[in-house]
Amino acid sequence: MAAKDSPLKQFEIDPISNIELGGYNISFTNSSFAMLITVLVITLFLTLTVSTRSIIPSRMQLISELMYNFIAQLLSDTVGDNGKRYFPFVFSLFMFVLIGNMVGMIPYQFTFTSHIIVTFALAAVVFIGVTILGFINHGIKFFTFFYIPGVPFYMHPLLIPIEVISYLSRPISLSVRLFANMLAGHTLLKVFAGFVVSMPFFTGVFPLAFIVALTGLEILIAFLQAYVFAILTCLYINDAYHLH
Amino acid sequence: MPQLNPEFFVSQLFWLAVFFTFLFVFLWRVSLPRIATVLEKRQNKIDENLSSAKELQEQAMEIEKKINDQINKAKLETDEKIKETINALQENVSSQLSSLDKDLEKKVSDAEKEILKSKDDQMKNINNEIVNITKLTVGKITDIELSDNELNKVIETHKGNFN
């Protein structure tokens, strides 16, 4: 497949300005630009819509409040009262992934959540943070997390390694889930977009219609993946408090 | 796959760290407290309104209680008044009835007395007439002149036969 027409070409990173720091290439790229747009959209929206601080909210203020309450509810449902401390982090994570996905839905706009290194970094922050939190809350007892009570003793040699592996694979599953969803969705859109151009006469309308439907699905997935990312983070935080 | 090209890994991680840290700090310090204060303000307002509504409701209930008390009081008073009036009327009626009865009895007894008196008078008149008629008859048939006293005596002795 020619590189020019490859559905994966959209994931290529193009530097906008080349920057080097301490021998490392930290160029400002289209990925960085998408992050910048995402952060600007979130901060401006959440600041401007609530600027009047009115008791009877405008529609836009209501959206901000709904998002706030959505994550606050999610945290209090999964973690309880302990969760309030992590609200800013979970909210930032949710908004960053959600708006990052949504910005990626704009045609010709780069989707930084389709890069495994980005999602893995976010998942790693969650994983390391939660593990440290677990040790802070429970000390050495945190290792009992891998011990499942109420299981016949001869099962433990089998179950404990499984538990350890499943715990260690958390950042991988968390990051790959988001990355793979974004990758697959955008690749599929690109493949069908290629059909629109290459099919003869008016038959290109059919893949076009499919793209329209798929775009709707992708927007749903964009929200869903952000939600899944946030709720799993909440569950991991909960695990760090209540070991089983 | 461009995702696996490590050329821009450091760049991506660097800018991710920069932007996500900025976003986190900004939301944590600026945006979220703002939304929280708005929500808190609204909750306070709602609580305030709810408590004042509760207060007003309590006041309304108190007033309603007072009204009910007054209605009950008024009802009792009216009942008392009605009873009093009925009693007074009954007394009045019974006293008037008794006075009427007395009047009637008096009238009846007066009438009876009068009837008796007139009966006596009539009887006296009859006696006198009898005396006169007897005197006249005896005088016409015989030449005996009878005195009134003698005749009266005779009549008295025979009075039982007339009745």
Side-chain angles (χ1 to χ4, degrees), chain A residues 109-194:
Chain A
Q109 183 59 50
F110 188 83
T111 317
F112 63 80
T113 46
S114 67
H115 273 250
I116 182 74
I117 186 69
V118 175
T119 60
F120 185 78
L122 290 173
V125 169
V126 172
F127 176 76
I128 293 167
V130 163
T131 307
I132 292 171
L133 194 66
F135 277 112
I136 288 171
N137 285 333
H138 299 284
I140 203 79
K141 269 191 189 167
F142 182 66
F143 286 113
T144 60
F145 183 70
F146 306 118
Y147 176 86
I148 300 169
V151 173
F153 68 94
Y154 49 83
M155 291 297 284
H156 284 306
L158 188 66
L159 281 178
I160 288 173
I162 289 176
E163 283 292 306
V164 172
I165 291 167
S166 89
Y167 186 78
L168 292 178
S169 63
R170 272 176 175 185
I172 298 165
S173 70
L174 193 59
S175 57
V176 169
R177 185 180 299 113
L178 176 59
F179 148 74
N181 267 287
M182 288 304 119
L183 176 75
H186 284 268
T187 310
L188 199 61
L189 278 175
K190 185 77 182 212
V191 167
F192 274 86

Side-chain angles (χ1 to χ4, degrees), chain A residues 15-221:
Chain A
I16 294 171
S17 71
N18 288 310
I19 307 170
E20 208 163 297
L21 187 77
Y24 291 105
N25 176 12
I26 53 160
S27 304
F28 192 83
T29 61
N30 50 357
S31 164
S32 320
F33 181 69
M35 287 180 198
L36 176 66
I37 297 285
T38 303
V39 169
L40 280 180
V41 167
I42 298 169
T43 49
L44 287 179
F45 185 82
L46 289 180
T47 311
L48 295 179
T49 56
V50 196
S51 59
T52 54
R53 294 181 172 82
S54 44
I55 285 192
I56 298 163
S58 62
R59 286 179 194 179
M60 288 298 147
Q61 188 183 329
L62 200 61
I63 294 174
S64 295
E65 288 173 12
L66 281 175
M67 284 168 172
Y68 183 100
N69 283 329
F70 179 66
I71 299 298
Q73 190 65 40
L74 185 70
L75 256 177
S76 72
D77 283 350
T78 50
V79 189
D81 284 341
N82 291 327
K84 278 177 189 159
R85 299 167 58 188
Y86 311 101
F87 176 68
F89 178 71
V90 177
F91 188 79
S92 307
L93 209 56
F94 173 74
M95 290 307 285
F96 192 66
V97 174
L98 174 68
I99 303 301
N101 292 346
M102 290 301 180
V103 165
M105 287 310 296
I106 300 168
Y108 293 104
Q109 183 59 50
F110 188 83
T111 317
F112 63 80
T113 46
S114 67
H115 273 250
I116 182 74
I117 186 69
V118 175
T119 60
F120 185 78
L122 290 173
V125 169
V126 172
F127 176 76
I128 293 167
V130 163
T131 307
I132 292 171
L133 194 66
F135 277 112
I136 288 171
N137 285 333
H138 299 284
I140 203 79
K141 269 191 189 167
F142 182 66
F143 286 113
T144 60
F145 183 70
F146 306 118
Y147 176 86
I148 300 169
V151 173
F153 68 94
Y154 49 83
M155 291 297 284
H156 284 306
L158 188 66
L159 281 178
I160 288 173
I162 289 176
E163 283 292 306
V164 172
I165 291 167
S166 89
Y167 186 78
L168 292 178
S169 63
R170 272 176 175 185
I172 298 165
S173 70
L174 193 59
S175 57
V176 169
R177 185 180 299 113
L178 176 59
F179 148 74
N181 267 287
M182 288 304 119
L183 176 75
H186 284 268
T187 310
L188 199 61
L189 278 175
K190 185 77 182 212
V191 167
F192 274 86
F195 289 164
V196 176
V197 180
S198 62
M199 278 173 84
F201 309 121
F202 59 89
T203 48
V205 169
F206 297 114
L208 184 66
F210 192 79
I211 285 178
V212 172
L214 205 61
T215 305
L217 180 72
E218 277 304 305
I219 287 170
L220 177 74
I221 288 174

Side-chain angles (χ1 to χ4, degrees), chain B residues 133-147:
Chain B
I133 290 168
T134 314
K135 224 169 133 182
L136 270 172
T137 318
V138 171
K140 289 261 168 131
I141 298 168
T142 65
D143 286 335
I144 304 163
E145 283 225 7
L146 293 170
S147 71

Side-chain angles (χ1 to χ4, degrees), chain B residues 8-26:
Chain B
F8 291 104
F9 274 8
V10 177
S11 153
Q12 295 226 72
L13 288 176
F14 174 77
W15 289 108
L16 174 69
V18 169
F19 287 128
F20 188 74
T21 309
F22 170 77
L23 179 73
F24 172 64
V25 172
F26 188 85

Side-chain angles (χ1 to χ4, degrees), chain B:
Chain B
M1 215 159 60
Q3 280 88 344
L4 301 179
N5 175 13
E7 189 188 346
F8 291 104
F9 274 8
V10 177
S11 153
Q12 295 226 72
L13 288 176
F14 174 77
W15 289 108
L16 174 69
V18 169
F19 287 128
F20 188 74
T21 309
F22 170 77
L23 179 73
F24 172 64
V25 172
F26 188 85
L27 291 187
W28 179 30
R29 286 295 175 200
V30 182
S31 296
L32 294 177
R34 268 193 202 188
I35 300 177
T37 43
V38 169
L39 291 175
E40 206 175 313
K41 225 163 75 178
R42 183 174 310 143
Q43 196 57 46
N44 285 343
K45 184 97 184 169
I46 289 169
D47 289 347
E48 214 173 84
N49 286 351
L50 275 179
S51 69
S52 72
K54 214 178 170 187
E55 220 167 79
L56 285 176
Q57 201 185 17
E58 270 170 17
Q59 278 180 12
M61 275 170 81
E62 225 165 78
I63 290 170
E64 203 187 319
K65 207 184 157 192
K66 267 186 192 166
I67 289 171
N68 279 336
D69 280 357
Q70 283 191 348
I71 286 173
N72 281 338
K73 213 175 149 192
K75 264 187 187 170
L76 286 177
E77 271 175 21
T78 334
D79 282 355
E80 195 78 3
K81 282 245 166 95
I82 288 171
K83 255 187 201 168
E84 260 173 36
T85 320
I86 287 172
N87 283 342
L89 282 174
Q90 272 178 346
E91 250 167 52
N92 203 354
V93 166
S94 63
S95 73
Q96 281 192 4
L97 275 175
S98 67
S99 75
L100 272 176
D101 277 355
K102 268 181 197 166
D103 271 13
L104 278 174
E105 253 170 48
K106 206 186 163 198
K107 276 186 180 166
V108 166
S109 70
D110 280 1
E112 273 178 352
K113 270 179 196 165
E114 212 154 288
I115 287 167
L116 275 175
K117 204 188 161 195
S118 71
K119 195 184 162 188
D120 279 357
D121 284 358
Q122 292 302 320
M123 287 306 280
K124 258 181 202 166
N125 280 346
I126 287 170
N127 279 358
N128 288 341
E129 289 304 311
I130 289 172
V131 170
N132 286 338
I133 290 168
T134 314
K135 224 169 133 182
L136 270 172
T137 318
V138 171
K140 289 261 168 131
I141 298 168
T142 65
D143 286 335
I144 304 163
E145 283 225 7
L146 293 170
S147 71
D148 287 0
N149 280 339
E150 278 174 319
L151 278 171
N152 270 336
K153 260 183 200 168
V154 175
I155 288 166
E156 278 300 315
T157 49
H158 290 88
K159 203 177 187 181
N161 298 339
F162 300 143
N163 286 338

